[in-house]
Amino acid sequence: MLRNRVLTALALTTLLVVAILFSPPGVTASILGLILLIGAWEWSAFLALALPWRGLFVLLLAALALAGWRYTLPGPHFRLMLEVAIAWWLIALLWIIWAPQRVARAAAALAGVLALLPTYISLVRIDAQWDNGAQWTLFILALAFAADTGAYFAGGRFGRLRLAPRVSPNKTWEGVIGGILFALVFALAGARWFALPALSFVSLCLAAAAFSVIGDLTESLLKRHVHLKDSGRLFPGHGGALDRIDSVTAATPVMALGLIWLGVGK
C-alpha cells in the first residue's frame, strides 16, 4: 500500500507540475475541469441515487461551474464566492462536531456544490489572471498535499488521540500536528520564494492547512454515511479523486482570499 501510494504520488506530482507550469491556462483549466467532473461523479455516490440521477448531478455541477466562472469575473463577486465558501467550511466543522450522523441527501448535494465549485473557479482564475498565477496554483495544491502527507505519516507513526472518532476513527490529533508542521516548512519556503512577509504569509498558510483538515473530515463523514472506504479507485494507494483533493477543496478558498488581502491577487 505504501509503495503504491508513493509511486502514485510521484506520478501525480509530475503530471501537475508539467500541466500547470508548462501548459497554457486553457489546458490547465481543462485538466482541472476533468478533475472537477470526476470529483462530482464520486460525490454523487454520497447522495445514494440511481446512475441516471448521478449523471444529472455531474451535468449540474458542470453548468454551475460555467455560470459561476462568468458571475465571478468581477473582483467583488469573486471575493463574495470565497467568503461564502469559507463560511460553508465553518458550518461543515459544526456539522462534524455536533451532528455527523445526520446526512440528508439535499445537504450532501449542496456540500458538493460548495466544496467543488469554488475550488475549481479559484484555481482556474488564479492560473489565468494572477501574476505568477501558475506558480500560485501549484503552491496552493502542494500546500494542501503537504499537510495531508504530514498528517498521514505522523498519524501512522505517532497517532494515539483520536480526532473525530464518529467520523474517521483513524485520524488523530498527532496527525493534525504533523500536517501543520509539514505545512509550516512548506509555507516558510513559499514566503522566501515569493518574497512575502513571513509572519502574515505563514499564518495564512497554516490557516489554510487547518481548514484542509475540515475538508478531509467532511468527505470522511459522507463516505461513512454510505459505507464507503474510498471515494473511488482511480489512484492506486490513494482511492478516488476526492480522496486526493478533499483537503484542497477547503484550503483553496482560504488561500485565495488571504492572498487577495495580502495584495497578491485580485
Side-chain angles (χ1 to χ4, degrees):
M1 180 65 73
L2 179 59
R3 179 176 179 272
N4 287 340
R5 189 178 182 92
V6 171
L7 291 176
T8 301
L10 290 175
L12 289 175
T13 299
T14 302
L15 176 62
L16 283 174
V17 169
V18 172
I20 294 174
L21 293 184
F22 302 105
S23 299
V27 174
T28 302
S30 298
I31 293 172
L32 293 175
L34 178 60
I35 295 172
L36 168 72
L37 294 178
I38 296 172
W41 173 254
E42 293 178 356
W43 200 288
S44 69
F46 305 152
L47 311 183
L49 297 172
L51 289 180
W53 292 105
R54 292 182 63 183
L56 184 61
F57 178 77
V58 175
L59 291 176
L60 175 63
L61 263 290
L64 288 175
L66 180 59
W69 167 258
R70 292 178 176 175
Y71 174 78
T72 58
L73 285 175
H77 290 181
F78 181 58
R79 291 190 292 273
L80 175 62
M81 180 198 71
L82 297 176
E83 291 165 357
V84 170
I86 292 170
W88 147 246
W89 287 116
L90 293 174
I91 293 171
L93 176 61
L94 299 179
W95 187 11
I96 291 164
I97 294 172
W98 282 310
Q101 281 79 34
R102 299 181 63 181
V103 182
R105 184 175 293 167
L110 181 60
V113 173
L114 293 174
L116 295 172
L117 291 190
T119 302
Y120 172 74
I121 293 170
S122 298
L123 293 176
V124 170
R125 181 187 180 100
I126 290 168
D127 180 68
Q129 299 183 358
W130 287 17
D131 294 336
N132 299 317
Q135 294 183 32
W136 279 117
T137 301
L138 187 61
F139 180 85
I140 291 171
L141 292 171
L143 176 69
F145 293 154
D148 200 28
T149 301
Y152 176 80
F153 285 107
R157 178 65 180 85
F158 303 106
R160 296 292 184 273
L161 300 175
R162 291 183 178 182
L163 175 63
R166 292 189 296 171
V167 174
S168 182
N170 292 329
K171 291 182 174 62
T172 64
W173 281 105
E174 291 85 353
V176 172
I177 294 171
I180 295 296
L181 290 177
F182 265 53
L184 173 61
V185 173
F186 202 79
L188 289 170
R192 185 177 181 85
W193 177 264
F194 292 108
L196 290 173
L199 180 59
S200 55
F201 181 70
V202 170
S203 298
L204 170 62
C205 291
L206 294 182
F211 267 76
S212 75
V213 179
I214 304 175
D216 193 348
L217 289 174
T218 301
E219 194 216 356
S220 295
L221 182 154
L222 294 169
K223 286 191 296 186
R224 193 172 184 83
H225 178 68
V226 292
H227 310 291
L228 288 175
K229 181 180 182 297
D230 296 317
S231 65
R233 299 180 179 179
L234 185 61
F235 303 121
H238 292 264
L242 285 178
D243 295 318
R244 279 289 77 213
I245 66 169
D246 51 7
S247 57
V248 175
T249 58
T252 296
V254 175
M255 282 298 298
L257 186 61
L259 289 171
I260 291 172
W261 288 345
L262 292 177
V264 173
K266 54 188 176 180

